[in-house]
């Protein structure tokens, strides 16, 4: 074990001091521990990760079978409609949502209140949210009622505001806190002071005639109350009893909800078809949280919520024909069912995805209703409660819109594909492939994390799921290699986040992109291919040179799988992935391709089982089975499948003949439920035959895979339904168009100011000799595409902010309707039509930054998940993850300014050049940001490498050559310098491994290839 120190703040951490770690055998204990980690990775049952974190795991038999039945019926329904024909949109999506909501309340318990001390970000968020709600409330409650205003000179209110703020500031300066305020209280107090100043400034500078204006009385009350609260938080925190905040958080929203519902009922804003269901849902939700009443181990009120979710969705499914014939008519029954459905979606989102999406969706619902009270350009005509519920629930522009439609078709079938790949050993194969390919090289354990996550991303398409699944094994190995906990977690978080941009699945957002852009799925995969490779290559480069900097070598080859043997014995597992790419490239739809890939996965697995029946493995050796044993094994495999298939055929034919007069939707419903029953009966009949060898499918494994697909899809169903609420409001209120125009206006204003400044400078006496004309600034700004750059920066900020609490799917839906149109407008410029390349550039840009929000502090979900495994600090893990993936933050700008990287409108030569220069350029940008080759590079060398990498990415041959010359010059000089000095220079490593995670020092030349890599 090493004790070499390292300068504080250097990345990674681990022993160096002239000797690489891991590749030798000087510490048998650490090597033995790493070997156990590798064995655990190779034997891990990835199907256990099918459910999301936080679900109920210890269910009683009746509820376990109930969940199994509902999940199986959902999967069978999607398989049946994919094989026959999908139902009309409202029917397909309502069944999908109904069973999804039912599963949510059976599987996801209410989240316990957090009891730990909150940090500054929490205080800022609460204070800002409270002020925002109060400010909007002032406008809504004051309205046009003149009695709610004071007619005052602006100077009077300005002086009053100045006195109040000055007095509060003087008091805070002259006094000390009587009690120590918490970090959250201090941050909240200062946020309130800043907010009061902004509100006062807004009121003072409002439009006024003759210096007089109407001051809302409630606005003055809000300013005084906020000031008093800020002073109390900062100087007298003890005035708030300890019990107050828990009571507010527990019952505050409930009390507010009851008051609002009572006001809506008394004022006639809403009838009992809205107030009654809303009040019932409110009471049931609170009882489910605080009541301990259970029925056979399941909270009874969660069962009620599950039943209501099934009712709300299935009502739309069963009454589809009547609903589509009464479009545009406000039906009180539909409004009642819609109220139940909307509220249950918000409750489900809170349980599955957290409060951020609930808050945003609720705020937009309020925005849709209070349209006429909104300030400035946000003002719109508003909607009545009944109209609002009808728009969101009954039409296909709200909840049952595009996001849920994609979830109910493409996404679910790909979830089945992912579940089948898990159960046939694909993730284990990818893990072994990553270990064999990269484990022996410099920084091998970190590279295994990158490659494994890249492979796993093709299956799951989820950053947090990848982090938890792979990080449980890769993070401990990295720590034992010598990396600090934060760095180890950051490697896994950054690479797992990249899984959402790795074809062929790419997360749910890629499927929604089909509808927004009109592109085929094949075109989206083609466009995403080079950026995905650039993403992971740049991370690989960062990790490689950080490992060289810290002297962290690779694992001994004898601990790693043999690649040749691996490909010979399990290479057939790549066939389904190849099949889906082949089907997509042949022009088949994503649904057909997904079904073909599922069939290929199952058929390939069964075929291999039958081919290998005559042999078995005993104690690591292959031996021939006895004929009787082989026959019994074949019978155990085939008979349950044959019986279940025959019974299913009888059920399908029976329903189609007996219920021939029934609509296609009702037939699909009945067939799905009966097939689920048949499958469960078959499982019961052959229970004693359910066990199978590792990664081998049988009837039980196939059905378990279908259930696993439904569990994988639950968060996506909830996210898409919630995103439908947001998208519905944005579309019906024209909010998207207004905000897009606002972004364009800001960009044009800044561009005009910059053009004017450049023109003034160019035509000044000092620069008059240049001969620049009056249009110099305009031409310069146009040539540099400043307007496009500004739009991209503002869109990036919006994506990262929304990503603080929203899942990628919801984030993409919002930014695709708000920011992407503005980007497309700037890209289109003077062209008459929008090309597919423009649409893909804009939508991939916002999608990528929505993905990167998962590792962007302060709320970086993937980094938090990784820190939970590594034991490191989540925020530091997030910053390390950003550093590791820093090239990914530049990459979206690269493909917007160089669209050849998306392989749009290119031939073979230009496409190949774009791919090669793009990947090399991304690697060089990453190398420049690391700042280490064989020794630390000077700042100007790093700058030259980064500039050279960016020039390589551009589409011009001239810039490519210039970039290549810069890179070759710097790297050549560094290599020559290293040769003259007799070898590379390593920086001493800090932190070292955690206590108990001993690093393995290499034995100099005995380190093998790993130390020389």
């Amino acid at each position: 074990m090493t004790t070499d120190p390292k300068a504080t703040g250097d990345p990674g951490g681990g022993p160096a001091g002239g000797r690489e770690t891991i590749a030798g055998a000087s510490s048998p204990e650490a090597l033995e521990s790493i070997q156990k980690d590798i064995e655990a990775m190779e034997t891990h049952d990835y199907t256990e990760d099918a459910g999301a974190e936080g679900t109920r795991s210890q269910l009683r038999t009746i509820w376990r079978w109930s969940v199994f039945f509902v999940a199986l019926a959902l999967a069978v329904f999607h398989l049946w409609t994919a094989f026959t024909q999908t139902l009309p949109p409202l029917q397909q999506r309502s069944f999908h949502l109904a069973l999804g909501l039912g599963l949510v309340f059976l599987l996801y318990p209410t989240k316990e209140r957090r009891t730990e001390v909150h940090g500054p970000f929490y205080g800022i968020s609460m204070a800002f949210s409270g002020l925002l709600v109060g400010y909007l409330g002032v406008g809504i409650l004051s309205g046009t009622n003149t009695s709610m205003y004071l007619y005052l000179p602006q100077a009077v209110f300005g002086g009053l505001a100045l006195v109040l703020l000055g007095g509060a500031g003087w008091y805070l300066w002259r006094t000390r806190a009587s009690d120590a305020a918490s970090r959250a209280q201090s941050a909240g107090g200062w946020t309130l002071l800043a907010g009061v100043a902004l509100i006062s400034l807004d009121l003072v500078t409002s439009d006024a005639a003759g210096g007089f204006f109407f001051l809302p009385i409630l606005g003055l009350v809000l300013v005084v109350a906020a000031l008093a609260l800020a002073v109390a938080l900062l100087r007298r925190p003890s005035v708030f009893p300890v019990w107050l905040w828990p009571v507010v958080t527990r019952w505050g929203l409930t009390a507010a909800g009851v008051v609002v519902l009572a006001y809506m009922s008394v004022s006639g804003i809403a009838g009992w078809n809205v107030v009654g269901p809303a009040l019932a849902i409110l009471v049931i939700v609170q009882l489910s949280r605080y009541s301990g009443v259970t029925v056979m181990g399941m909270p009874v009120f969660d069962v009620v919520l599950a039943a209501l979710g099934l009712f709300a969705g299935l009502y739309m499914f069963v009454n589809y024909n009547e609903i589509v014939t009464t479009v545009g008519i406000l039906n009180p029954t539909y409004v009642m069912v819609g109220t139940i459905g909307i509220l249950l979606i918000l409750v489900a989102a809170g349980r599955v995805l957290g409060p951020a999406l609930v808050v945003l969706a609720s705020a937009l619902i309020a925005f849709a209703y209070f349209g006429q009270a909104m300030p400035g350009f946000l003002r719109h005509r508003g909607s009545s409660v009944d109209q609002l519920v009808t728009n969101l629930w009954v039409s296909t522009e709200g909840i049952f819109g595009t996001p849920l439609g994609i979830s109910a078709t493409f996404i679910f079938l790909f979830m089945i594909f992912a579940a089948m790949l898990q159960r046939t050993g694909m993730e284990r194969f990818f893990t072994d492939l990553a270990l064999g390919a990269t484990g022996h090289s410099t920084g091998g354990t970190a590279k295994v994390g990158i490659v494994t996550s890249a492979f796993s991303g093709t299956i799951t398409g989820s950053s947090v799921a990848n982090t938890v699944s792979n990080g449980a094994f890769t993070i401990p190995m990295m720590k034992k290699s010598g990396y600090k906990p934060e760095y180890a977690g950051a490697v896994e978080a950054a690479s797992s986040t990249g899984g959402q941009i790795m074809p062929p699945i790419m997360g749910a957002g890629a499927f929604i992109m089909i509808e927004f852009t009109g592109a085929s799925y094949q075109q989206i995969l083609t466009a995403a291919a080079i950026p995905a490779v650039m993403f992971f290559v740049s991370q690989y480069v960062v990790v490689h040179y950080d490992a060289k900097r810290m002297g962290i070598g690779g694992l001994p080859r004898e601990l790693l799988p043999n690649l040749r043997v691996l490909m010979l014995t399990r290479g057939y597992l790549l066939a389904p992935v190849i099949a889906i790419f082949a089907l997509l490239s042949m022009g088949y739809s994503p649904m057909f391709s997904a079904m073909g890939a599922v069939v290929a996965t199952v058929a390939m697995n069964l075929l291999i089982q039958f081919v290998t029946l005559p042999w078995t493995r005993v104690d690591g050796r292959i031996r021939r089975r006895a004929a009787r044993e082989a026959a019994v094994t074949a019978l155990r495999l085939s008979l349950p499948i044959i019986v279940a298939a025959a019974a299913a055929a009888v059920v399908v034919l029976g329903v189609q003949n007996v219920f021939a007069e029934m609509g296609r939707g009702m037939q699909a419903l009945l067939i799905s439920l009966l097939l689920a029953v048949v499958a469960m009966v078959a499982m019961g009949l052959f229970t004693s035959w359910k066990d199978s060898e590792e990664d081998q499918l049988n009837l039980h494994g196939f059905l378990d895979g279908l259930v696993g697909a439904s569990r994988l899809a639950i968060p996506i169903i909830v996210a898409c339904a919630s995103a439908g609420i947001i998208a519905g409001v944005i579309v019906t209120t024209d909010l998207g168009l207004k905000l897009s125009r606002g972004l364009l206006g800001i960009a044009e204003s800044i561009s005009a100011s910059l053009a004017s400044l450049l023109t003034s400078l160019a035509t000044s006496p000092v620069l008059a000799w240049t001969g620049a004309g009056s249009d110099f600034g305009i031409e310069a700004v146009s040539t540099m595409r400043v307007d496009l750059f500004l739009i991209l920066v503002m869109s990036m900020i919006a994506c990262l902010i929304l990503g603080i609490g929203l899942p990628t799917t919801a984030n993409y839906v919002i930014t695709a309707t708000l920011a992407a149109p503005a980007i497309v407008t700037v890209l289109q410029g003077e062209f008459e039509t929008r090309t597919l390349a423009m649409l893909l550039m804009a939508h991939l840009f916002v999608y990528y930054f929505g993905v990167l929000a998962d590792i962007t502090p302060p709320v970086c979900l993937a980094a938090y998940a990784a820190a939970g495994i590594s034991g490191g600090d989540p925020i530091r893990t997030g910053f390390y993850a950003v550093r590791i993936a820093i090239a990914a933050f530049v990459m979206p700008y690269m493909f917007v300014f160089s669209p050849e990287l998306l392989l749009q409108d290119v031939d073979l030569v230009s496409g190949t050049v774009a791919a090669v220069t793009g990947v090399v350029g991304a690697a060089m940008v990453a190398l420049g940001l690391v700042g280490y080759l064989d020794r630390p590079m000077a700042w100007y060398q790093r700058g030259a490498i980064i500039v050279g990498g960016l020039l390589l990415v551009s589409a011009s041959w001239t810039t490519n050559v210039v970039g290549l010359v810069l890179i070759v010059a710097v790297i050549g000089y560094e290599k020559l310098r290293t040769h003259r000095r007799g070898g590379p220079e390593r920086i001493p490593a800090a932190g070292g491994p955690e206590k108990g995670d001993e690093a393995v020092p290499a034995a100099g030349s005995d380190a093998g290839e790993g130390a020389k890599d």
Side-chain angles (χ1 to χ4, degrees):
M1 184 172 178
T2 184
T3 56
D4 294 336
K6 174 185 174 187
T8 304
D10 282 349
R19 297 201 307 171
E20 290 195 341
T21 64
I22 294 303
S26 301
S27 179
E29 296 82 4
L31 276 178
E32 183 180 354
S33 178
I34 290 177
Q35 185 173 7
K36 290 180 179 179
D37 289 334
I38 293 174
E39 291 173 354
M41 286 183 70
E42 293 176 338
T43 59
H44 174 58
D45 183 5
Y46 288 94
T47 62
E48 294 176 356
D49 303 323
E53 185 180 359
T55 58
R56 294 186 174 103
S57 56
Q58 302 298 325
L59 294 175
R60 299 241 184 123
T61 302
I62 185 172
W63 296 115
R64 188 168 63 252
W65 281 103
S66 297
V67 168
F68 191 93
F69 173 76
V70 175
L72 185 59
L74 178 60
V76 170
F77 172 81
H78 284 291
L79 285 176
W80 175 255
T81 54
F83 269 120
T84 55
Q85 184 182 356
T86 55
L87 301 177
L90 186 59
Q91 268 195 310
Q92 182 85 14
R93 299 167 190 180
S94 59
F95 186 89
H96 183 70
L97 178 63
L99 271 64
L101 287 176
L103 288 172
V104 165
F105 295 111
L106 292 177
L107 285 173
Y108 288 80
T110 55
K111 294 185 177 179
E112 295 183 2
R113 298 285 183 184
R114 295 175 58 185
T115 56
E116 67 268 21
V117 177
H118 295 289
F121 182 75
Y122 180 82
I124 294 172
S125 302
M126 296 301 294
F128 177 79
S129 301
L131 269 181
L132 181 62
V133 171
Y135 188 55
L136 293 176
V138 168
I140 293 168
L141 295 175
S142 300
T144 57
N145 186 356
T146 56
S147 64
M148 299 294 290
Y149 294 85
L150 296 174
Y151 188 58
L152 292 176
Q154 286 178 300
V156 171
F157 178 74
L160 179 61
L162 189 62
V163 169
L164 288 173
L165 286 168
W170 180 84
Y171 177 77
L172 293 174
W173 177 61
R174 297 288 297 177
T175 60
R176 294 184 179 274
S178 59
D179 301 285
S182 69
R183 296 165 65 199
Q185 288 174 327
S186 297
W190 291 112
T191 302
L192 286 173
L193 284 177
V196 167
L198 291 175
I199 291 174
S200 301
L201 182 65
D202 176 67
L203 292 173
V204 170
T205 57
S206 61
D207 294 335
F212 285 78
F213 80 125
F214 287 95
L215 170 68
I217 297 173
L218 292 179
L220 184 59
V221 172
L222 175 65
V223 168
V224 174
L227 272 178
L229 182 59
V231 171
L233 286 171
L234 293 170
R235 291 293 180 263
R236 296 288 186 271
S238 59
V239 302
F240 303 101
V242 177
W243 52 265
L244 179 61
W245 185 244
V247 170
V248 170
T249 56
R250 175 175 291 191
W251 300 106
L253 286 177
T254 303
V258 170
V259 170
V260 169
L261 290 175
Y263 174 76
M264 292 172 67
S265 178
V266 171
S267 63
I269 293 175
W272 277 104
N273 61 328
V274 173
V275 175
L279 185 61
I281 296 293
L282 186 64
V283 171
I284 294 171
V285 168
Q286 288 297 86
L287 289 174
S288 71
R289 181 180 295 277
Y290 301 114
S291 172
V293 181
T294 62
V295 50
M296 289 179 281
M298 177 72 70
V300 66
F301 293 104
D302 280 355
V303 177
V304 174
L305 290 173
L308 287 173
L310 289 169
F311 162 76
L314 291 178
Y315 180 89
M316 304 300 290
F317 181 91
V318 173
N319 295 280
Y320 164 76
N321 291 326
E322 179 184 346
I323 291 171
V324 295
T325 57
T326 58
V327 174
I329 300 175
L330 296 180
N331 187 309
T333 304
Y334 301 163
V335 172
M336 180 190 71
V337 176
T339 301
I340 295 172
I342 293 170
L343 293 178
L344 287 179
I345 289 170
L346 295 177
V347 175
R351 291 196 182 191
V352 178
L353 304 170
L357 188 55
V358 180
V359 171
L360 182 59
S362 303
L364 282 174
I365 291 174
F367 169 78
Y369 177 75
F370 293 111
Q372 296 184 0
M374 291 294 108
F377 74 95
L378 294 177
R379 188 185 303 274
H380 61 94
R381 68 178 184 275
S383 301
S384 67
V385 173
D386 287 4
Q387 185 65 56
L388 180 59
V389 173
T390 301
N391 289 341
L392 292 179
W393 184 256
V394 179
S395 74
T396 54
E397 293 182 351
I399 290 169
F400 298 111
T402 296
L404 194 65
I406 298 298
S407 173
T409 50
F410 305 148
I411 296 175
F412 198 94
L413 293 177
F414 275 87
M415 291 300 99
I416 295 176
F417 176 50
M420 293 305 159
L421 288 180
Q422 286 179 330
R423 280 153 182 81
T424 54
M426 178 62 84
E427 284 198 69
R428 186 174 294 107
F429 170 72
F430 281 158
T431 299
D432 289 346
L433 194 62
L435 282 167
T438 63
H440 65 280
S441 61
T442 301
T445 52
K447 292 177 180 176
V448 167
I450 292 177
V451 178
T452 302
S453 298
F455 286 152
S456 297
T458 67
I459 298 177
T460 63
S462 168
S463 58
V464 176
N466 277 359
T467 301
V468 173
S469 177
N470 296 322
F473 307 100
T474 58
I475 290 174
M477 283 200 303
M478 283 186 267
K479 289 171 63 180
K480 292 164 188 172
S481 303
Y483 290 105
K484 288 198 312 187
E486 288 83 3
Y487 192 90
V491 170
E492 185 59 49
S495 53
S496 293
T497 298
Q500 292 188 82
I501 63 172
M502 189 69 178
I505 295 182
M506 292 179 59
F511 296 96
I512 298 175
M513 201 180 296
I514 296 173
E515 295 295 325
F516 279 136
T517 63
S520 68
Y521 192 59
Q522 178 193 358
Q523 290 171 318
I524 292 175
L525 294 188
T526 301
I530 294 178
V533 174
M534 293 167 63
F535 184 97
F536 284 103
V537 165
S538 63
Q539 286 192 28
Y540 196 92
V541 168
V542 171
V543 167
H544 177 80
Y545 286 100
D546 272 345
K548 287 188 68 175
R549 178 207 300 265
M550 296 179 288
I552 297 178
L555 298 169
R557 285 187 181 272
E558 59 268 20
L559 296 182
L560 304 173
N562 185 295
L563 278 180
R564 183 179 301 173
V565 173
L566 182 66
M567 293 304 296
L568 287 175
T569 57
R570 289 192 282 164
Y572 67 88
L573 289 170
L574 292 173
V577 177
I578 296 172
I580 198 168
F581 278 114
L583 289 170
L584 288 169
S585 64
M586 292 166 64
Y588 290 103
S589 70
M591 286 187 66
F592 183 89
S593 301
M595 286 304 305
V598 170
V599 171
T601 304
V602 176
M604 179 67 70
N605 189 270
L606 293 176
L607 177 62
I608 293 297
Q609 289 186 63
F610 279 110
V611 169
T612 58
L613 266 179
W615 297 275
T616 185
R617 183 184 296 272
V618 178
D619 297 330
R621 294 186 176 185
I622 303 296
R623 72 170 180 85
R624 191 173 183 84
R625 296 180 191 266
R628 178 181 176 84
E629 182 185 357
V632 170
T633 303
L635 183 67
R636 290 166 61 96
L637 174 62
S638 57
L639 184 60
I641 297 174
I642 293 171
V643 170
V650 171
V651 166
V652 170
L653 292 175
V655 170
Q656 290 179 337
N657 288 308
V658 175
F659 300 98
E661 301 299 323
M662 190 180 289
R664 194 163 60 89
M666 292 304 296
Q667 281 190 0
L669 171 63
L670 192 57
I671 287 172
S672 301
L673 297 178
L674 290 178
L675 287 182
V677 171
V678 166
M680 292 174 66
V681 170
M683 288 179 66
L685 290 175
F686 297 100
T687 299
S688 59
W689 291 1
K690 69 178 181 180
D691 294 330
S692 63
E693 294 186 18
E694 186 177 76
D695 300 334
Q696 292 186 352
L697 281 178
N698 56 13
L699 176 65
H700 293 77
F702 175 73
L703 296 177
D704 185 64
L706 295 181
V707 172
S710 295
R711 291 171 67 99
L712 279 172
I714 289 173
I716 297 174
I717 295 173
V718 175
C720 288
S722 304
I725 295 176
I726 297 169
V729 172
I730 290 173
V731 171
T732 56
T733 60
D734 288 332
L735 179 63
L737 181 61
K738 294 174 180 178
L739 290 182
S740 292
R741 288 175 177 171
L743 289 176
L744 288 171
I746 294 172
E748 289 173 358
S749 176
I750 296 176
S751 298
S753 300
L754 180 61
S756 176
L757 177 62
L758 291 175
T759 300
S760 299
L761 291 174
T763 56
S764 65
V766 177
L767 298 177
W769 56 273
T770 61
S774 58
D775 59 349
F776 171 79
I778 296 175
E779 292 180 357
V781 167
S782 176
T783 302
M784 293 186 294
R785 301 304 307 270
V786 173
D787 55 346
L788 176 58
F789 179 75
L790 291 171
I791 286 289
L792 294 178
V793 170
M794 288 185 285
S795 301
M796 176 191 72
I797 294 172
C799 293
L800 294 178
I801 291 175
L802 286 172
I804 285 177
L806 299 187
T808 305
T809 303
N811 189 336
Y812 170 67
V813 170
I814 297 169
T815 52
T817 52
L818 298 181
I823 298 174
V824 173
T825 300
V826 177
L827 287 171
Q828 182 178 351
E830 297 179 357
F831 293 101
E832 295 183 0
T833 58
R834 299 179 175 183
T835 65
L836 179 61
M838 296 175 186
L839 293 170
L840 288 175
M841 282 188 283
H843 284 265
L844 283 173
F845 182 91
V846 297
Y847 178 68
Y848 273 43
F849 277 110
V851 169
L852 292 173
D854 279 349
I855 57 170
T856 307
V859 182
C860 30
L861 299 181
Y864 270 86
I869 299 171
S870 70
D873 178 72
I875 300 299
R876 291 187 67 190
T877 301
F879 280 114
Y880 275 133
V882 169
R883 178 186 176 277
I884 292 168
I886 191 66
F889 287 82
V890 182
M891 186 174 60
Y893 292 92
M894 294 178 181
F895 63 64
V896 169
F897 285 99
S898 300
E900 293 79 10
L901 293 174
L902 301 183
L903 297 180
Q904 299 299 306
D905 303 324
V906 294
D907 53 28
L908 180 61
V909 174
S910 59
T912 303
V913 171
V916 173
T917 57
V919 172
V920 174
M924 292 301 101
V925 170
L927 176 60
L929 292 169
V930 171
Y932 182 92
L933 192 60
D934 290 321
R935 64 190 67 254
M937 291 189 288
W939 64 267
Y940 55 86
Q941 292 175 314
R942 298 174 66 177
I945 290 284
I946 293 173
V947 170
L950 294 175
L951 291 175
L952 271 181
V953 175
S954 66
S956 168
W957 282 96
T958 303
T959 56
N960 286 347
V961 171
V962 173
L964 187 61
V965 169
L966 270 176
I967 292 167
V968 170
V970 174
I971 293 179
Y973 172 76
E974 280 296 305
K975 288 295 182 181
L976 180 62
R977 186 175 165 211
T978 299
H979 177 72
R980 288 177 175 175
R981 296 195 178 187
E985 172 189 332
R986 294 195 180 95
I987 296 177
E994 289 290 282
K995 189 174 182 180
D997 294 333
E998 188 177 6
V1000 190
S1005 61
D1006 296 332
E1009 295 181 39
K1012 300 176 184 177
D1013 210 77

